[in-house]
């Protein structure tokens, strides 16, 4: 937990905003960009994502009275202290709700109202896709909810999920930048996507989109989703592929001439901080990768194999060893249980390291929530499975049912942090003492 909490400090949203945004005399410095504030009539703020309220606080503390007003959409409970000029709309994640739609309508109305001499600062973090639901005409929120759930359950990765989200929205995939133009738009982005692609984080509302309607149909085919999502959405994707609906804006579109996108925090920063803390605690520490993705159970098996290798040969590190990885895995839902990818990772890993002495494995989401649960993740060791069986629990049954939450709840091995107001994917630790 000491290592994990240190990683969270490194991606604190308020500190991250202030590292990249400052005012020098009458110049606003945003990353490598400079803006003469005398050229703007007013400055506005919008935001969406799990870290949006804390990021907004960083902007407000930087700009003070220069900021006219703003609106941010955040996940329920993800609140920070903001002045009355910033309206906060709490909404649902990962499946959007009506509150999210109401907040999105206010955000799009504000963005659309701006003129050439206005400056809009947009704070974006992970969770922004679900927290900015703006379905196009002819598609209801309920239909978007059904589609989101089908995509989450089928095992599609985040890029595939976002490709479809972009094409059933009026803001995602660069379309928020289209609404904002000709105002100047500066987006400060906390990344929760592997490799930090601008078009992938929160479905890239202020970045050019590389995906197409045809790509969406291919994803539907890949995961056998035809007939499992609403007919209205399937019809829209087919109409778009036939050229009957305009595509999302692409590279070279003039609307991006006045848009600046700046990454202010990512998984690498969190993992690097964890690595330094592990060394301070006396571990031989190694960062495995921040690009870890794939089926959670398979990833858990690989991490367990590394622990076994350390025991057997001292490779890739001698004991005491700490292996750290980041990224984000996926779970193909086959059961009706409760859990998240980090809890499922821990359960699968526990089965593989059963009886392997002096070994601990940990996996948690940096946002403090894992899937649709109130836990951030779980922690296991070489005796977890033995302890479970002594208490009448069958680990394999819980894994098959995707019911890792109730497994670890019974053992007392869930990790609870509450909302952290940040979000840069996951952190996994393998400790071999």
């Amino acid at each position: 937990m000491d290592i994990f909490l240190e990683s969270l400090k490194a991606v604190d949203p308020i500190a991250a905003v202030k590292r990249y945004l400052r005012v020098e005399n009458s110049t606003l410095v945003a990353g490598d960009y400079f803006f003469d504030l005398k050229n703007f009539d007013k400055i506005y703020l919008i935001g969406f994502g799990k870290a949006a309220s804390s990021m907004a606080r960083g902007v407000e503390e930087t700009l003070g009275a220069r900021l006219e007003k703003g609106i941010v959409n955040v996940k329920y409970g993800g609140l920070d202290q903001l002045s009355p000029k910033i309206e906060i709309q709490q909404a649902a994640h990962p499946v959007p709700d009506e509150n999210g739609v109401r907040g999105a309508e206010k955000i799009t109305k504000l963005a659309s109202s701006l003129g050439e001499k206005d400056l809009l600062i947009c704070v974006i973090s992970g969770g922004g896709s679900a927290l900015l639901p703006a379905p196009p005409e002819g598609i209801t929120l309920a239909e978007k909810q059904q589609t989101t759930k089908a995509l989450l359950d089928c095992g599609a990765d985040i890029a595939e999920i976002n490709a479809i989200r972009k094409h059933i929205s009026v803001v995602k995939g660069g379309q928020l930048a289209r609404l904002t133009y000709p105002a100047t738009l500066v987006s400060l982005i906390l990344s929760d996507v592997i490799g930090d692609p601008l078009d992938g984080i929160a479905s890239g509302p202020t970045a050019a989109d590389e995906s197409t309607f045809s790509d969406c149909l291919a994803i539907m085919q890949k995961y056998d989703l035809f007939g499992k999502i609403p007919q209205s959405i399937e019809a829209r994707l087919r109409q778009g592929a036939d050229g009957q609906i305009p595509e999302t804006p692409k590279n070279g579109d003039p609307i991006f001439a006045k848009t600046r996108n700046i990454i202010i925090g990512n998984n690498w920063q969190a993992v690097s901080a964890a690595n330094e803390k592990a060394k301070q605690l006396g571990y031989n520490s190694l960062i495995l990768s921040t690009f870890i993705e794939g089926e959670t159970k398979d990833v858990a098996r690989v991490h367990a194999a590394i622990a076994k290798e350390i025991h057997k040969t001292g490779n890739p590190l001698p004991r005491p060893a700490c292996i750290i990885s980041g990224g984000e895995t996926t779970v193909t839902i086959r059961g009706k249980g409760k859990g998240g990818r980090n809890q499922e990772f821990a359960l699968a890993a526990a089965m593989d390291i059963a009886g392997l002495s002096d070994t601990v494995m940990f996996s948690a989401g940096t946002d403090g929530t894992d899937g649709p649960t109130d836990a951030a993740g779980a922690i296991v060791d070489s005796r977890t499975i033995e302890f479970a069986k002594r208490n009448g629990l069958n680990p394999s049954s819980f894994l098959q049912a995707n019911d890792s939450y109730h497994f670890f709840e019974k053992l007392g091995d869930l990790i609870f942090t509450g909302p952290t107001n940040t979000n840069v994917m996951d952190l996994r630790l393998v400790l071999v003492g």
Side-chain angles (χ1 to χ4, degrees), residues 51-257:
S53 63
S54 293
M55 295 174 77
R57 179 177 169 184
V59 172
E60 191 171 30
E61 290 180 359
T62 300
L63 294 178
R66 294 182 179 89
L67 190 62
E68 183 73 14
K69 67 176 182 178
I71 166 82
V72 294
N73 271 19
V74 301
K75 183 177 179 179
Y76 291 113
L79 301 176
D80 211 320
Q81 294 181 338
L82 297 172
S83 74
K85 71 171 70 172
I86 308 298
E87 182 181 349
I88 299 177
Q89 177 68 62
Q90 297 187 72
H93 177 280
V95 179
D97 67 359
E98 289 288 353
N99 281 340
V101 173
R102 278 191 283 273
E105 288 173 348
K106 293 177 183 179
I107 287 171
T108 55
K109 183 178 180 181
L110 174 58
S112 302
S113 71
L114 303 184
E116 192 169 359
K117 297 200 71 176
D118 290 320
L119 171 61
L120 180 64
I121 296 178
C122 179
V123 293
I124 302 174
S125 69
S129 288
L131 290 166
L132 193 70
E137 187 176 350
I139 293 177
T140 66
L141 173 64
E143 289 168 337
K144 283 199 72 167
Q145 290 171 328
Q146 183 181 339
T147 302
T148 299
K149 188 174 189 311
L151 288 165
L152 291 168
D153 288 353
C154 75
D157 64 32
I158 191 65
E160 294 169 324
I161 293 171
N162 283 349
I164 292 179
R165 280 170 162 169
K166 292 173 188 178
H167 289 84
I168 56 172
S169 170
V170 298
V171 292
K172 296 176 173 63
Q175 295 177 91
L176 181 59
R178 179 186 281 162
L179 292 174
T180 302
Y181 187 79
T184 297
L185 174 61
V186 176
S187 290
L188 304 176
I189 303 168
L190 201 62
S191 172
D192 72 329
V193 180
I194 289 173
D196 307 331
L198 291 173
D199 66 328
I201 304 160
S203 299
T206 62
D209 179 29
E210 296 183 3
S211 68
T212 65
F213 281 107
S214 295
D215 293 334
C216 294
L217 292 178
I219 294 165
M220 296 268 293
Q221 182 73 39
K222 178 180 177 180
Y223 293 102
D224 191 27
L225 291 174
F226 291 113
K228 298 177 183 176
I229 67 168
Q231 181 60 38
S232 63
I233 288 178
E234 183 178 331
R236 177 179 172 83
L237 298 180
R238 292 192 184 280
Q239 288 167 3
D242 290 340
Q244 299 174 44
I245 297 173
E247 259 294 355
T248 49
K250 310 302 180 190
N251 276 316
D253 193 308
I255 65 167
F256 295 116

Side-chain angles (χ1 to χ4, degrees), residues 19 48 66 82 216 246 278 306 318 340 350 365 402-403:
R19 279 196 298 270
F48 35 91
R66 294 182 179 89
L82 297 172
C216 294
I306 293 171
N402 300 115
D403 200 19

Side-chain angles (χ1 to χ4, degrees), residues 375-420:
I379 185 168
V380 299
D381 64 20
S382 52
R383 297 169 295 178
T384 296
I385 299 304
E386 176 192 347
F387 184 64
K389 290 180 177 177
R390 283 210 311 265
N391 283 272
L393 305 178
N394 184 334
S396 296
S397 297
F398 280 91
L399 188 61
Q400 289 170 7
N402 300 115
D403 200 19
S404 51
Y405 182 92
H406 291 120
F407 177 84
F408 289 116
E409 184 181 45
K410 295 176 188 299
L411 298 181
D413 290 334
L414 289 168
I415 299 162
F416 294 100
T417 62
T420 63

Side-chain angles (χ1 to χ4, degrees), residues 245-303:
I245 297 173
E247 259 294 355
T248 49
K250 310 302 180 190
N251 276 316
D253 193 308
I255 65 167
F256 295 116
K258 299 180 71 175
T259 297
R260 301 292 181 266
N261 293 302
I262 305 165
I263 301 288
I264 66 169
N266 58 19
N267 190 245
W268 172 255
Q269 292 176 355
V271 167
S272 296
N275 187 44
E276 290 305 311
K277 184 63 176 181
K279 290 176 180 176
Q280 289 174 18
L281 293 172
Y283 287 96
N284 300 305
S285 187
L286 171 72
I287 296 174
L288 183 63
S289 175
T290 58
F291 285 76
I292 302 292
E293 55 187 332
E295 186 69 30
T296 299
K297 289 184 287 188
D298 298 334
V299 173
R301 176 154 288 182
V302 170
H303 282 65

